Amino acid sequence: MAGGGIAPSKGKAYPGNMTCKVFVTCIVAAMGGLIFGYDIGISGGVISMPLFLKKFFPDVWRKEQGLSPSTNQYCTYNSETLTLFTSSLYFAALLASFVASSVTRACGRRVSMVIGGTLFLAGSAVNGLAQNVLMLIIGRVLLGFGIGFANQSVPVYLSEMAPYRYRGALNMVFQLSITIGILGANLLNYFMANLKYGWRISLGCAAVPGIIFIVGSLLLPDTPNSLIERGKREEAKIMLQKIRGIRDVDEEFDDLVIASEESKKVQHPWANIMKEKNRPQLTFAMLIPFFQQFTGINVIMFYAPVLFKTIGFGSTASLMSAVITGLVNCLSTLVSIAIVDRFGRRGLFLEGGSQMLIMQLAIAAAIGAKFGVSGNPGSLPKGYALAVVAMICVYVAGFAWSWGPLGWLVPSEIFPLEVRSAGQSINVSVNMIFTFVVAQIFPVMLCKLKFGLFLFFSFFVVIMTIFIYKFFPETKGVPIEEMAIVWSRHPYWRKFVPAPDNIDDDRKPGSGRIGIEIVKKEQDC
């Protein structure tokens, strides 16, 4: 199968600079990732706190304390109620993403962000004051609604505000804020673990990123794309001039207007997105988030303290190990931000997949050799424990500079305007469906598959790496409104996507309106 790559040429491109305004705007908008990251980090931490388990999940607490029979250590956390506490948020986010799509298109990206932050703030209050499991679940559902709105609107906002040459780096700030949220939650869990009401503080402090996100969203302008979409063309042109730092934005503005006019012809974006010309975008919007969750990363991130506890670390040690992996996650995302617009999306996908595969096999071998299937390792040598943490850190790094940020970047930049909100809604929905599935099945699978759980996820890493190699063209350096040319030139996807009318298929590199060169890399199937 042939692959395709796109490289910036020396031809004409949209003018514009990385202005202070657009940089600050994108940083503030990306704070929406804080609420998602904080929840991922906090949920795994509190369910490893004995006082929290004793109050809400006494059956799990008794197994953990050795007060009731348990098959082995792998099955300590196998509880349907505990799993519901963790996974209910993601099901709620799934439902919210469908509503958020319509709100984002009709009212703008900023309104969706404010709604998301408000719902998340309400959920944090309910969880912090929870007296029973029902209150915990209600709080988690509200948090999920907030995350559904935020994850729908923020990546689209960032892709539309950023100059195309820096779109990858600025969009990835969203993933960076997710990792900062995870790290902050892990640190808070570590210091709150032995306090009587430490779990309440951990859950209630979700209000902090919620407030940051609400205030930031209220101060943000709307994107030129969204303003044009809602008929505010003069305001949109002024905004485009401000964020590009120049007066001459006519070419880009005209293209945005044309894209908006085309989008208005689409009365039913959900039907339109199913058309053949959107086949490649729809495929990646569904498969990228599916594969992202089946890397197994969320097993590590929101169950990290539980996982480390299961493989023999003490309570405090398991929380500290989660802090270490959270720090690696954060620093590795910075690496991705620095290189994504230089080396491209495709190379990062392939390298990250290979790195994760090697580490998953190594972790499975290490845990299997010490724990076997009985789950009773005896005493754990310090060197063994450090080796397991090190391998997990290398695995997390591979995810954090590839599938983590690219899982949000790529789907947000590949759709045409008329179906962009619907496309992002599908991306978020699939992400939340399979985050919910993984959260729901993890305790059972750990109990049944034991160390083989890592082999289960490694199978999917192999499949997704091959898929990217065969079907994903490079998208770096391509203006977001000109992305159709990528698919029309790809050896496989051009069967579905016709070349744009204003693009000469045989023109030489460097000529024409958008100034990009298509580099065909023919490879044998």
Side-chain angles (χ1 to χ4, degrees):
M1 178 67 67
I6 296 179
S9 77
K10 296 180 181 178
K12 185 178 178 183
Y14 294 142
N17 307 306
M18 169 66 84
T19 63
C20 181
K21 182 176 181 64
V22 76
F23 180 76
V24 172
T25 296
C26 288
I27 294 294
V28 172
M31 291 302 101
L34 282 177
I35 65 177
F36 191 24
Y38 186 89
D39 182 80
I40 290 173
I42 216 69
S43 56
V46 294
I47 63 177
S48 70
M49 295 181 184
L51 293 175
F52 177 80
L53 291 176
K54 186 176 181 179
K55 180 175 178 61
F56 295 104
F57 307 100
D59 291 343
V60 177
W61 177 79
R62 282 192 291 270
K63 285 192 288 185
E64 187 184 62
Q65 300 298 314
L67 301 178
S68 65
S70 177
T71 306
N72 59 39
Q73 200 163 342
Y74 288 118
C75 301
T76 300
Y77 295 91
N78 186 13
S79 163
E80 291 182 3
T81 310
L82 181 61
T83 301
L84 180 62
F85 163 73
T86 304
S87 60
S88 56
L89 178 145
Y90 303 103
F91 185 72
L94 163 66
L95 298 178
S97 65
F98 293 110
V99 178
S101 171
S102 299
V103 173
T104 299
R105 191 179 189 196
C107 304
R109 288 58 167 144
R110 191 171 68 97
V111 172
S112 281
M113 292 157 67
V114 172
I115 293 172
T118 303
L119 289 168
F120 190 87
L121 183 61
S124 66
V126 174
N127 269 354
L129 298 172
Q131 299 298 319
N132 50 53
V133 173
L134 179 60
M135 284 189 70
L136 284 178
I137 301 301
I138 291 173
R140 295 285 291 174
V141 168
L142 289 171
L143 293 172
F145 287 156
I147 287 172
F149 271 87
N151 287 2
Q152 160 70 27
S153 52
V154 172
V156 172
Y157 184 95
L158 294 172
S159 287
E160 292 180 346
M161 289 294 280
Y164 73 91
R165 287 171 294 178
Y166 307 103
R167 187 176 64 243
L170 289 177
N171 192 289
M172 281 185 172
V173 177
F174 176 68
Q175 175 68 16
L176 177 63
S177 70
I178 292 176
T179 66
I180 292 172
I182 293 171
L183 178 60
N186 287 338
L187 283 168
L188 187 63
N189 282 335
Y190 179 74
F191 289 110
M192 295 295 110
N194 296 318
L195 299 182
K196 183 177 181 181
Y197 294 110
W199 61 269
R200 285 197 187 277
I201 297 173
S202 290
L203 293 175
C205 280
V208 175
I211 291 171
I212 292 173
F213 185 46
I214 293 171
V215 173
S217 298
L218 289 171
L219 298 175
L220 290 176
D222 235 329
T223 70
N225 309 62
S226 180
L227 291 170
I228 292 171
E229 197 172 25
R230 290 178 285 137
K232 302 179 180 181
R233 293 191 180 182
E234 288 301 318
E235 191 177 338
K237 188 168 186 177
I238 294 171
M239 178 54 60
L240 191 61
Q241 290 171 335
K242 287 181 179 179
I243 64 176
R244 298 293 179 256
I246 56 172
R247 298 285 301 173
D248 181 17
V249 295
D250 290 345
E251 186 176 34
E252 183 176 4
F253 179 75
D254 289 344
D255 285 346
L256 293 178
V257 171
I258 291 170
S260 178
E261 292 299 325
E262 289 297 315
S263 75
K264 288 179 180 178
K265 297 176 184 178
V266 178
Q267 298 299 317
H268 304 288
W270 289 101
N272 186 267
I273 204 171
M274 304 303 293
K275 290 183 178 180
E276 191 173 77
K277 67 176 183 177
N278 292 315
R279 182 76 53 80
Q281 298 97 317
L282 181 61
T283 299
F284 283 98
M286 296 177 70
L287 289 183
I288 284 180
F290 167 78
F291 284 136
Q292 186 190 55
Q293 295 312 309
F294 275 83
T295 60
I297 188 62
N298 276 346
V299 169
I300 298 294
M301 299 316 296
F302 62 64
Y303 280 117
V306 170
L307 185 63
F308 284 123
K309 232 176 168 183
T310 299
I311 60 175
F313 290 73
S315 178
T316 304
S318 69
L319 289 170
M320 178 49 68
S321 298
V323 169
I324 293 170
T325 56
L327 182 61
V328 170
N329 191 22
C330 188
L331 294 176
S332 299
T333 303
L334 286 172
V335 173
S336 187
I337 290 173
I339 66 177
V340 65
D341 287 316
R342 182 180 303 174
F343 297 105
R345 286 72 159 141
R346 181 179 161 88
L348 287 177
F349 269 134
L350 297 175
E351 190 285 330
S354 302
Q355 183 172 329
M356 286 188 290
L357 174 62
I358 293 169
M359 286 301 102
Q360 282 173 326
L361 296 176
I363 293 166
I367 296 177
K370 189 66 180 174
F371 283 76
V373 295
S374 68
N376 297 310
S379 61
L380 285 178
K382 184 176 180 180
Y384 168 87
L386 291 175
V388 171
V389 172
M391 287 186 287
I392 288 178
C393 285
V394 175
Y395 162 80
V396 169
F399 176 85
W401 59 49
S402 62
W403 281 86
L406 293 176
W408 295 107
L409 167 62
V410 171
S412 72
E413 70 179 0
I414 60 178
F415 280 100
L417 180 63
E418 65 266 21
V419 293
R420 191 169 299 151
S421 291
Q424 182 64 12
S425 180
I426 290 172
N427 176 46
V428 174
S429 298
V430 174
N431 190 296
M432 292 305 154
I433 286 171
F434 289 103
T435 304
F436 171 80
V437 169
V438 170
Q440 194 73 25
I441 67 176
F442 165 71
V444 177
M445 290 186 68
L446 181 61
C447 183
K448 301 293 184 183
L449 296 180
K450 302 171 176 61
F451 64 88
L453 182 64
F454 290 95
L455 299 177
F456 171 81
F457 287 117
S458 68
F459 168 78
F460 288 97
V461 174
V462 171
I463 298 300
M464 72 194 204
T465 303
I466 294 173
F467 173 76
I468 291 294
Y469 178 76
K470 291 288 188 181
F471 296 106
F472 183 69
E474 184 55 71
T475 59
K476 73 165 184 172
V478 183
I480 192 170
E481 301 303 339
E482 304 291 351
M483 199 64 72
I485 194 174
V486 177
W487 310 108
S488 68
R489 296 293 185 90
H490 187 272
Y492 178 77
W493 297 117
R494 64 187 177 192
K495 295 188 296 185
F496 305 99
V497 183
D501 293 336
N502 56 353
I503 299 295
D504 179 6
D505 192 62
D506 296 319
R507 77 174 180 214
K508 294 181 180 179
S511 66
R513 186 165 59 90
I514 63 174
I516 59 174
E517 175 185 355
I518 303 297
V519 182
K520 293 184 178 179
K521 302 175 182 176
E522 295 297 335
Q523 303 165 341
D524 293 332
C525 287

